[in-house]
Amino acid sequence: MRSFSLFFLWSLISLFSSVFTVNPQERRPTSTTNKSPAGGEYMQIPTTVKSLLPKEFCSPLSGDNALVIGVSDPGRDSVTGRREALLRAYIVASLRERVKVSMVSDYFTSAGAKSSLVVSRYEEMYYIESELSREVSLRPLSSYTLSSGETILFAEVIRGNNSKESAKSIYRFECSLYHIENTLERGQHVYKTKYRFYPQKGGLKMQDREDFEVYSINNLWYTVSGEFNGEVSARENSKYFYATQRSSQEQVAANDGAVGAAIDGAVGAAPDGAIGVSTVEGLWPAYVSALLWQIAGVLDYGNPTVSQVTDSHKNRIRNLSRSAECNFVKAEVLKLTLFKERLYPVVKIDQLNPGER
């Protein structure tokens, strides 16, 4: 628990540092620049990039073969894009194994004895960790490069023998999820998703590693940053929009007048119970954020440690409730659904320690 507390403190410090530190971003050369009346530059307008997804992207992944999907950042060359997409497919595969989820949450309220105004703050932190053993490997099946420069890679999960050597870990995944909700007249939600994925000593000759972070306010303003193999990933000044391949009849209808619907996402509706994240910053930030927050949030935590404190001072009543929990799960992505510029992973989550402390 001490190591988790230290990680929790480190993550909070990192959060506040990211809020008050602005990282320089590489600007896309084709983006439009508005001019001030004096002739100087004062604003970069993002470039709109539209991509057509292969129909396999939103097809069911469950079946005889265990399939996973990895997606690279936009603007990658073909070699780097494929390596990054394969590494991220390994991340998705590692979440199918034994995953440890630790949680700490605080709920604070303050209200006047004679006033209806209530100030509240809800703060939660999750730490997710998993390891991928030599027993598990990936066999790439196919890959696609979008007009955005993103590489989508499909891979089959292959399991080897159960010897002691195959049980050794080759990759380790560490992730912190942070959410704070402040309510004073109107609410504000801040989300931060941060992970590390790196090879273990003594593992196979796999040297790729990644640090990645997604920061958002009210699901509207996003900041994405990261490093791949020690190099800072450049972010283009672009917004990304996607459509899935349609049948010939649907395409004819779109060409006859519903052209705008072609970039509206998938036909249908958002799947029940799934979390959707905006794809305007790219497919992977939406994919990994939605997947990790579902792993953290959809479980029915049945046996938390809870402590409460109540204080009354100067006609104000303050309440603080703190909860802590640890569980083991495994998560399998069954399907990806694109709907109204949001990506919804449909995830099957099994809790491995029901009722255990």
Side-chain angles (χ1 to χ4, degrees):
M1 189 64 185
R2 182 173 179 270
S3 61
F4 174 65
S5 300
L6 291 176
F7 185 85
F8 180 70
L9 178 61
W10 168 82
S11 299
L12 290 181
I13 294 174
S14 176
L15 171 71
F16 292 121
S17 174
S18 66
V19 172
F20 295 106
T21 303
V22 179
N23 294 321
Q25 295 182 352
E26 178 181 323
R27 298 298 185 182
R28 184 167 178 148
T30 57
S31 62
T32 304
T33 304
N34 277 357
K35 300 288 185 178
S36 67
E41 297 183 2
Y42 66 88
M43 180 180 179
Q44 289 278 344
I45 299 178
T47 302
T48 297
V49 181
K50 301 179 180 180
S51 298
L52 185 64
L53 298 173
K55 59 180 180 298
E56 293 84 359
F57 185 78
C58 292
S59 299
L61 299 176
S62 58
D64 295 336
N65 298 326
L67 300 180
V68 291
I69 298 177
V71 185
S72 76
D73 283 346
R76 295 292 198 190
D77 62 78
S78 59
V79 175
T80 305
R82 183 178 174 85
R83 287 183 64 184
E84 188 174 56
L86 179 59
L87 182 74
R88 289 172 172 178
Y90 271 103
I91 291 177
V92 178
S94 73
L95 298 174
R96 296 167 57 98
E97 305 303 306
R98 184 178 175 88
V99 180
K100 183 179 180 180
V101 184
S102 304
M103 179 272 290
V104 174
S105 67
D106 286 337
Y107 181 58
F108 171 80
T109 60
S110 177
K114 298 181 180 180
S115 172
S116 60
L117 179 62
V118 178
V119 178
S120 67
R121 183 184 68 201
Y122 178 71
E123 195 170 5
E124 59 182 341
M125 170 99 179
Y126 297 89
Y127 182 43
I128 298 175
E129 53 188 323
S130 66
E131 293 183 348
L132 198 63
S133 70
R134 287 188 180 186
E135 179 190 355
V136 180
S137 62
L138 295 184
R139 182 169 67 91
L141 299 177
S142 59
S143 62
Y144 303 84
T145 301
L146 306 183
S147 57
S148 61
E150 294 164 289
T151 297
I152 299 176
L153 184 140
F154 296 80
E156 180 182 2
V157 179
I158 305 296
R159 292 190 175 275
N161 57 52
N162 295 319
S163 66
K164 291 183 178 180
E165 187 68 18
S166 68
K168 290 184 178 180
S169 172
I170 56 173
Y171 272 118
R172 179 169 176 81
F173 178 77
E174 297 174 352
C175 169
S176 65
L177 305 177
Y178 178 79
H179 168 229
I180 183 170
E181 176 186 358
N182 288 307
T183 303
L184 178 59
E185 295 182 352
R186 60 180 180 178
Q188 181 188 67
H189 289 267
V190 176
Y191 289 90
K192 183 176 181 181
T193 303
K194 183 175 183 177
Y195 72 73
R196 296 176 60 210
F197 192 64
Y198 56 94
Q200 296 284 76
K201 293 182 179 180
L204 298 178
K205 294 181 179 179
M206 296 181 178
Q207 299 302 317
D208 288 339
R209 65 181 66 230
E210 183 179 38
D211 292 79
F212 193 80
E213 181 178 307
V214 182
Y215 178 87
S216 69
I217 300 177
N218 290 345
N219 292 319
L220 295 175
W221 296 276
Y222 291 85
T223 300
V224 181
S225 60
E227 292 184 4
F228 180 60
N229 288 339
E231 295 186 5
V232 176
S233 301
R235 298 293 302 178
E236 299 181 340
N237 186 28
S238 303
K239 299 300 179 184
Y240 301 94
F241 299 88
Y242 306 88
T244 53
Q245 290 184 1
R246 299 182 171 191
S247 66
S248 57
Q249 291 182 348
E250 289 173 335
Q251 191 61 50
V252 169
N255 294 336
D256 286 343
V259 178
I263 292 296
D264 189 36
V267 179
D272 293 337
I275 294 176
V277 175
S278 172
T279 57
V280 295
E281 297 296 332
L283 287 175
W284 181 248
Y287 183 5
V288 72
S289 297
L291 173 57
L292 292 171
W293 278 101
Q294 284 192 74
I295 292 175
V298 303
L299 296 178
D300 182 14
Y301 294 104
N303 197 11
T305 300
V306 181
S307 58
Q308 295 180 329
V309 177
T310 301
D311 176 45
S312 180
H313 180 67
K314 291 185 179 180
N315 294 324
R316 293 198 69 83
I317 301 175
R318 297 178 176 87
N319 295 285
L320 174 63
S321 177
R322 171 168 292 179
S323 300
E325 180 117 12
C326 180
N327 284 288
F328 292 90
V329 304
K330 60 179 180 179
E332 177 185 359
V333 179
L334 303 179
K335 186 179 181 182
L336 296 173
T337 298
L338 185 69
F339 181 68
K340 292 188 175 180
E341 298 170 10
R342 301 181 80 86
L343 188 64
Y344 295 82
V346 178
V347 187
K348 176 186 177 184
I349 300 178
D350 295 323
Q351 187 167 347
L352 303 179
N353 64 326
E356 179 183 323
R357 289 294 300 275

